Amino acid sequence: MEKQYFVLDLKDDAATIDAYKKWHMAGAVPEQVTKSIRGADIEELEIFLAGNRLVMVLTPGPHYNSEAKATADEANPDVQKWETLMWRFQKQLPFARPDQKWVPMERIYALSQQ
């Protein structure tokens, strides 16, 4: 599988952005949340920040299944607690579906294909 890219905004407030960054420092994310990511066969997950815009890069392993991950997350109280906490900092993009946080990005250019 190829890498997957997602976008989401943070509330445009310096203190909010700083707090969100602190929650994502090494060792700050709850162990059970990290365990759920690794347990879903996600080989790497990175989040990049520019202003208040976030880009998440997900590198799936060969057995990764996004639907199974979503179902497992809904049933995991630790993940739900984390998602509720993170939603205090995040804001939905205007073009997102009502039930959507992270919006998948579409690749429109690759140098390797030129």
Side-chain angles (χ1 to χ4, degrees):
M1 280 190 196
E2 292 187 11
K3 290 182 180 185
Q4 299 173 18
Y5 298 83
F6 301 85
V7 65
L8 176 65
D9 282 351
L10 293 175
K11 293 175 182 170
D12 199 6
D13 169 76
T16 298
I17 293 168
D18 187 53
Y20 189 84
K21 288 169 62 174
K22 286 179 182 171
W23 273 108
H24 287 82
M25 292 175 67
V29 175
E31 182 181 338
Q32 291 301 318
V33 172
T34 300
K35 191 175 183 178
S36 75
I37 294 167
R38 290 189 172 130
D41 197 29
I42 295 172
E43 293 179 353
E44 183 63 83
L45 189 125
E46 300 172 284
I47 299 175
F48 296 88
L49 175 67
N52 71 318
R53 175 80 27 105
L54 300 170
V55 173
M56 179 171 59
V57 181
L58 186 152
T59 305
H63 305 291
Y64 173 72
N65 179 303
S66 61
E67 291 84 17
K69 173 72 169 118
T71 299
D73 285 351
E74 288 176 19
N76 185 325
D78 294 312
V79 172
Q80 289 305 304
K81 184 177 177 182
W82 174 255
E83 290 298 331
T84 298
L85 174 63
M86 291 301 101
W87 194 237
R88 291 179 26 209
F89 306 105
Q90 300 163 335
K91 71 176 190 177
Q92 194 171 39
L93 294 170
F95 49 85
R97 294 186 323 264
D99 64 336
Q100 189 176 40
K101 258 180 136 175
W102 289 94
V103 177
M105 298 177 77
E106 174 187 7
R107 182 172 75 177
I108 62 168
Y109 176 84
L111 179 61
S112 62
Q113 296 176 351
Q114 302 303 316

